[in-house]
Amino acid sequence: MINRILRILLITLTFSGIAYGQYSEKELQQLIQEGNTEKLVRANSELLLNGMFRQAATIAENLVSTSPENANFQYRLGYAYLYYHPDINSPIDPLTKACANVTQKYDASSSKEQQAPIDAVYYLGKAHHRLGNIKKAVDHYQKFLELAGKKNILSSYAELGLIQCEVAEELMNNPSDDKLSNIGDSINTSGPEYAPIVSLDGTSLFFTSRRLWKDEENEGMIDPATNNYLEDIFVSFQDENGKWKSPEILDFCKPNQNEATVSVSIDERKVYVYNDESGNGDIYYSQYNNGTFNAIQPIDKEAVNTKNWEPHLYVTPDGSEVYFVSDRPGGFGGRDIYVMKKTGNDSWSEPQNLGPEINTPYDEDAPFVSIDNESLYFASNGSKSMGGFDIFCAKRNEEGNWGTPANMGYPINSPADDAFYTTTTDGFKGYITSFRAGGKGDLDIYEIQHFPPRNSNTAILKGQIFVVNDQPLPEDIAITVACTNCDKNSSITVFPRIRDGVYFTKLEKCKEYELTYTYNNGKTTFHTAKLATNCIPEYEEIYKPVYLRLDDMKIIPYYQLKIETIDIASNASVGTVTVQILDEDGSVLEDLQTDESGMYTSKILQSRDEGGNANLKFKITKDGYLSKTIDLSFELTDESILNAQLLMEKASVGEDLGQILKLDPIYFDLNSSFIRKDAKEKLQKIIDAMNNNPNMVIECGSHTDCRESYEYNEWLSDRRAKRTVNYISKRISNPGRISGKGYGETQLVNDCGCEGDVVSDCSEAEHQLNRRTEFRIIKN
């Protein structure tokens, strides 16, 4: 699909004047077995001219096997591999052999031709170019220009290739911080996967694939040009761990027809499809209705489809603009991007070419606009590309027009074809199609992680409607989001996804909004809500879930308790933690474990009535951390998401338990070993910690200030340690876990020493700091 027009153009250069032809597989094998060299060369030329690269390669492989030294046959094989073979390296060897014997007087029609045309030098340069062998590509482009001169039509492509090689070298020497990875075997196969469209929250991925269906209904439906199955549209959803599930084919796909993804509406209720039944290629769509995607039909915007080629269309998330691609007359060359703007409820402006700032004398394709309507992404194979199609981004200027596009750089782009970029609302993840070294085979889908994320200073509403008892969501539900303090009236009506009730829309910063939920095609309102965006210039996503009871179409509280375990020192999430949730009377409500990111969502409160508080206890346990019980109270309002952040402290051997619990030391009066009243509250926290951690062993280390003799202070500190141990041991399980030791005045916490003739000038408050007991962890 990518670059097909260019491919056919280049084929005609060498093999012009030869009739079209193609063969069934049976006819092809019979021809190879029975045909002489003349017939095989003739058939190979016909197939190359008709774009039947795989069949042409099959014949060329046979010719090469019988005469490997023949540069003409090697050229034909390398040429077919360049535009068909799923291994990007495949053309190098045959084209290298072909270039060892080239001629200006190449005769494509003669079976006796032993030499290759000088065009082989260009194609070898192209093969090295897309592999990233930039120096070799430049050498061959330059050599081709020296041999061919300006009159050869390929010369302009060689000159473009040299310009693109400069771009590639610059970008590859200065890579971005973005991370690119093959999406993997759950999506990609050894065949082609392309045209990915990711949902705005990154949980679904629509794409085109040429693969055997699970029920094998399309078995035998093979494209003879590539030996692949026909195009079909699939969708994959992420599981709870963020992994892509096995893809599912969309309802409207037919085994004997090509259907390729173009774009998907943000509510996933309309899929735009490329269909070539007309011969030129037009935009169709399928509407989700009554639980299924209906059969595709031509798009209802008459100005889009013409007798020319329209391979792509994208409707902006707010529905105000339609971008599409066409090679219709009047453009700037090749395929151009056009826009139509909404002028009324069902009326649109005439198509407008985006102009020379976006469109070039070459091809532009696959437009995509970010949810904030400020970034236009598209593919172009012009002079600012690294080679083939690259992805570019243009920003909207103050006049509302698109500014100068910038190449998105390496490693997002490569010297081969890269296209079909889409991204999530936060601009952190993006997805592209690429044919590059290291892939699974042919075109693959890749995931990009942007550093930093591309969307900033953007506010997004992510709403969600949960239906009580998991009943199906009615398809006629809509939400009108109206700004109540914007400069001009601003409202948009959006529809939730049927599969999970999620909906999205962009919001303005520092504004207030009212949400109106309706059904019965907008005639009946069943709920309203308010929200406000912050005024900070950074990405903001407001999550607004509601719970719908279908019996009376009423929004009810349906509380979800989102638990998060946090390391109090680092403020980072703690991994898997064992949590026991207790009611305020001590009865166990739920035993659970948080996930690897320290998160868990509990539904224990989902049936509680609105109003009042829910008082819960959380008993948390994890090796290396202090086990404890945390009391939290939750106000049961109309907000269904309740957040429980559980702070955890590491408890390492040698540390002071009091410091971990953020307690001041236990202090004593001068010359006294009695437990003071103010110490008992702190000791209770030590006692609670030891009872919650039944394997913990503690040493009570008691100290004095410097006054009195060494001997007296050792005796006094030992009494303080024993009194502390006695107080705690009566109140904990397995009292043998606590011991005491007196250190006298040997471990002062300040410079209040007064040994020998030294007279301390410390205040009584400073001396008090030394009269203490600490709680060192011996074992945990």
Side-chain angles (χ1 to χ4, degrees):
M1 188 162 121
I2 300 176
N3 225 10
R4 182 167 296 169
I5 290 296
L6 176 57
R7 292 174 182 176
I8 294 174
L9 169 63
L10 298 184
I11 294 164
T12 62
L13 304 178
T14 302
F15 301 101
S16 58
I18 298 184
Y20 283 6
Q22 70 180 61
Y23 300 85
S24 68
E25 286 304 300
K26 182 177 180 180
E27 290 171 338
L28 181 66
Q29 293 304 319
Q30 184 175 356
L31 175 65
I32 291 173
Q33 292 174 8
E34 301 176 359
N36 57 29
T37 301
E38 182 178 356
K39 287 184 177 180
L40 292 176
V41 169
R42 178 76 179 183
N44 175 264
S45 297
E46 291 174 347
L47 291 167
L48 288 172
L49 184 60
N50 202 28
M52 305 298 293
F53 300 111
R54 200 272 308 173
Q55 290 191 346
T58 302
I59 293 176
E61 287 167 350
N62 179 268
L63 291 170
V64 166
S65 69
T66 60
S67 184
E69 75 289 347
N70 189 308
N72 177 25
F73 296 166
Q74 294 284 1
Y75 166 66
R76 290 169 179 272
L77 180 61
Y79 185 79
Y81 278 175
L82 187 67
Y83 295 117
Y84 138 73
H85 205 287
D87 181 359
I88 196 171
N89 295 281
S90 61
I92 296 295
D93 182 64
L95 287 176
T96 299
K97 293 174 179 176
C99 288
N101 187 9
V102 297
T103 178
Q104 296 271 11
K105 299 179 180 180
Y106 176 73
D107 186 355
S109 63
S110 174
S111 61
K112 297 180 180 179
E113 177 66 75
Q114 298 286 312
Q115 295 178 289
I118 59 174
D119 294 4
V121 180
Y122 166 79
Y123 291 121
L124 181 56
K126 187 71 174 175
H128 279 299
H129 188 170
R130 66 182 189 175
L131 277 169
N133 302 330
I134 302 302
K135 186 179 184 307
K136 290 182 178 180
V138 169
D139 290 344
H140 286 91
Y141 286 149
Q142 290 176 338
K143 182 178 179 181
F144 171 76
L145 289 171
E146 292 171 5
L147 293 172
K150 295 289 186 181
K151 291 185 179 180
N152 190 311
I153 194 169
L154 284 177
S155 294
S156 62
Y157 292 103
E159 290 170 349
L160 174 63
L162 288 172
I163 295 171
Q164 291 177 338
C165 281
E166 291 182 11
V167 175
E169 191 169 34
E170 170 67 21
L171 293 179
M172 292 171 76
N173 286 335
N174 297 279
S176 70
D177 293 329
D178 299 318
K179 305 299 181 185
L180 180 137
S181 59
N182 192 293
I183 201 170
D185 295 337
S186 59
I187 301 294
N188 291 322
T189 67
S190 58
E193 277 77 35
Y194 48 96
I197 301 121
V198 67
S199 63
L200 291 177
D201 60 353
T203 62
S204 63
L205 188 74
F206 293 79
F207 63 97
T208 300
S209 180
R210 293 171 173 262
R211 65 177 71 186
L212 182 66
W213 295 8
K214 288 181 180 179
D215 62 6
E216 300 186 356
E217 186 180 351
N218 66 331
E219 186 177 16
M221 301 296 177
I222 303 296
D223 181 350
T226 62
N227 204 37
N228 288 316
Y229 295 98
L230 300 183
E231 294 174 316
D232 294 301
I233 301 175
F234 291 80
V235 61
S236 175
F237 301 105
Q238 284 189 344
D239 63 19
E240 59 274 9
N241 297 315
K243 305 296 184 183
W244 293 109
K245 297 180 182 179
S246 179
E248 305 168 8
I249 193 167
L250 295 195
D251 303 328
F252 56 77
C253 290
K254 298 179 179 179
N256 60 345
Q257 181 174 297
N258 280 310
E259 301 99 356
T261 38
V262 171
S263 60
V264 179
S265 62
I266 63 172
D267 57 18
E268 297 181 19
R269 299 191 187 197
K270 183 177 285 189
V271 177
Y272 295 95
V273 178
Y274 172 76
N275 183 275
D276 56 8
E277 278 189 340
S278 67
N280 295 313
D282 289 323
I283 303 299
Y284 285 61
Y285 76 95
S286 172
Q287 183 72 47
Y288 188 89
N289 190 27
N290 294 326
T292 187
F293 279 105
N294 297 329
I296 62 172
Q297 56 185 310
I299 189 173
D300 52 7
K301 296 172 178 59
E302 296 180 358
V304 173
N305 291 331
T306 66
K307 63 181 180 180
N308 300 97
W309 194 30
E310 283 78 32
H312 201 89
L313 176 142
Y314 181 75
V315 180
T316 56
D318 63 3
S320 65
E321 295 177 322
V322 173
Y323 291 82
F324 68 92
V325 175
S326 178
D327 67 350
R328 64 189 61 189
F332 290 86
R335 303 193 292 280
D336 280 1
I337 301 175
Y338 292 78
V339 64
M340 296 167 56
K341 299 184 178 182
K342 200 166 191 177
T343 56
N345 288 337
D346 295 307
S347 58
W348 294 84
S349 69
E350 290 298 314
Q352 297 174 341
N353 190 296
L354 289 190
E357 198 70 63
I358 301 297
N359 294 314
T360 70
Y362 303 95
D363 294 304
E364 281 67 47
D365 209 337
F368 170 81
V369 179
S370 59
I371 191 171
D372 61 5
N373 212 23
E374 297 298 321
S375 298
L376 169 66
Y377 300 91
F378 63 96
S380 175
N381 60 10
S383 59
K384 295 181 180 180
S385 163
M386 294 175 64
F389 278 98
D390 275 6
I391 300 161
F392 290 78
C393 178
K395 296 290 186 179
R396 203 182 288 273
N397 59 29
E398 293 180 355
E399 290 76 34
N401 301 317
W402 297 114
T404 302
N407 189 305
M408 290 185 70
Y410 180 83
I412 294 176
N413 290 317
S414 71
D417 280 321
D418 309 282
F420 301 112
Y421 177 87
T422 59
T423 185
T424 52
T425 55
D426 58 7
F428 175 58
K429 283 188 178 181
Y431 293 84
I432 64 168
T433 298
S434 186
F435 182 43
R436 62 178 72 191
K440 300 293 180 182
D442 212 298
L443 295 167
D444 275 357
I445 296 172
Y446 288 78
E447 179 184 278
I448 303 161
Q449 292 184 352
H450 290 294
F451 297 98
R454 297 189 65 84
N455 287 353
S456 60
N457 195 24
T458 303
I460 301 297
L461 169 62
K462 177 183 177 180
Q464 189 165 14
I465 301 175
F466 293 94
V467 180
V468 177
N469 298 326
D470 295 326
Q471 293 177 270
L473 180 72
E475 293 182 15
D476 64 346
I477 286 179
I479 306 93
T480 299
V481 183
C483 180
T484 58
N485 64 340
C486 291
D487 295 336
K488 57 182 180 180
N489 291 332
S490 174
S491 69
I492 184 172
T493 298
V494 294
F495 295 88
R497 294 189 305 219
I498 298 300
R499 65 181 174 92
D500 59 7
V502 169
Y503 63 91
F504 300 91
T505 189
K506 174 198 170 188
L507 305 174
E508 289 189 42
K509 284 284 190 177
C510 213
K511 300 296 181 183
E512 296 175 354
Y513 288 85
E514 184 172 84
L515 280 58
T516 304
Y517 297 74
T518 64
Y519 69 102
N520 193 20
N521 296 317
K523 297 175 183 177
T524 307
T525 297
F526 64 91
H527 183 64
T528 60
K530 294 183 178 181
L531 59 85
T533 56
N534 67 40
C535 303
I536 303 172
E538 60 184 23
Y539 179 79
E540 177 188 12
E541 183 173 291
I542 298 174
Y543 181 52
K544 191 75 174 177
V546 295
Y547 295 83
L548 173 62
R549 187 170 59 204
L550 290 184
D551 294 345
D552 54 4
M553 290 301 290
K554 183 178 180 181
I555 298 297
I556 63 171
Y558 202 72
Y559 299 113
Q560 289 190 82
L561 184 60
K562 289 190 174 294
I563 299 169
E564 182 179 16
T565 51
I566 300 291
D567 185 304
I568 197 169
S570 66
N571 201 35
S573 294
V574 179
T576 305
V577 177
T578 299
V579 181
Q580 189 176 62
I581 306 178
L582 310 174
D583 211 341
E584 54 188 324
D585 62 3
S587 58
V588 177
L589 297 176
E590 185 174 7
D591 289 300
L592 62 97
Q593 278 195 332
T594 60
D595 61 22
E596 294 178 356
S597 61
M599 306 290 290
Y600 182 85
T601 299
S602 171
K603 296 182 179 180
I604 60 169
L605 297 178
Q606 66 183 23
S607 60
R608 297 283 181 100
D609 293 331
E610 184 177 352
N613 293 335
N615 301 310
L616 301 176
K617 299 176 183 293
F618 298 84
K619 192 172 184 178
I620 53 179
T621 306
K622 182 179 176 66
D623 288 345
Y625 281 84
L626 196 65
S627 298
K628 62 179 181 179
T629 301
I630 300 173
D631 294 341
L632 293 177
S633 180
F634 303 93
E635 187 178 0
L636 302 179
T637 66
D638 60 350
E639 292 290 339
S640 294
I641 302 299
L642 306 174
N643 295 297
Q645 195 173 73
L646 307 180
L647 302 180
M648 302 185 66
E649 301 92 350
K650 285 186 177 179
S652 302
V653 171
E655 290 191 86
D656 183 351
L657 178 59
Q659 290 184 0
I660 294 173
L661 297 175
K662 296 188 170 16
L663 301 175
D664 291 331
I666 305 302
Y667 292 119
F668 294 86
D669 292 333
L670 180 64
N671 290 327
S672 173
S673 61
F674 289 103
I675 304 296
R676 295 185 346 194
K677 185 177 180 179
D678 65 324
K680 291 182 179 180
E681 183 179 347
K682 300 171 189 175
L683 286 173
Q684 186 58 49
K685 295 184 182 299
I686 299 293
I687 291 165
D688 291 342
M690 293 194 71
N691 283 328
N692 282 324
N693 298 266
N695 295 319
M696 182 181 287
V697 178
I698 296 292
E699 177 199 86
C700 295
S702 295
H703 307 266
T704 69
D705 62 27
C706 69
R707 293 174 289 188
E708 304 298 342
S709 67
Y710 282 118
E711 293 78 9
Y712 174 82
N713 285 337
E714 286 181 8
W715 172 82
L716 179 60
S717 64
D718 187 60
R719 283 180 60 80
R720 288 173 175 171
K722 288 179 179 177
R723 292 242 180 162
T724 305
V725 168
N726 185 56
Y727 185 90
I728 294 174
S729 64
K730 292 178 180 179
R731 294 166 174 84
I732 64 171
S733 61
N734 190 7
R737 295 185 294 128
I738 188 162
S739 62
K741 183 177 180 180
Y743 290 90
E745 57 179 287
T746 61
Q747 295 182 11
L748 302 176
V749 296
N750 50 31
D751 295 328
C752 291
C754 47
E755 288 73 26
D757 296 331
V758 176
V759 178
S760 174
D761 61 356
C762 287
S763 66
E764 181 57 34
E766 290 172 309
H767 282 303
Q768 171 71 92
L769 296 177
N770 292 316
R771 300 193 302 269
R772 70 199 189 279
T773 292
E774 298 167 330
F775 304 90
R776 186 166 64 92
I777 300 174
I778 304 300
K779 179 183 175 183
N780 186 24

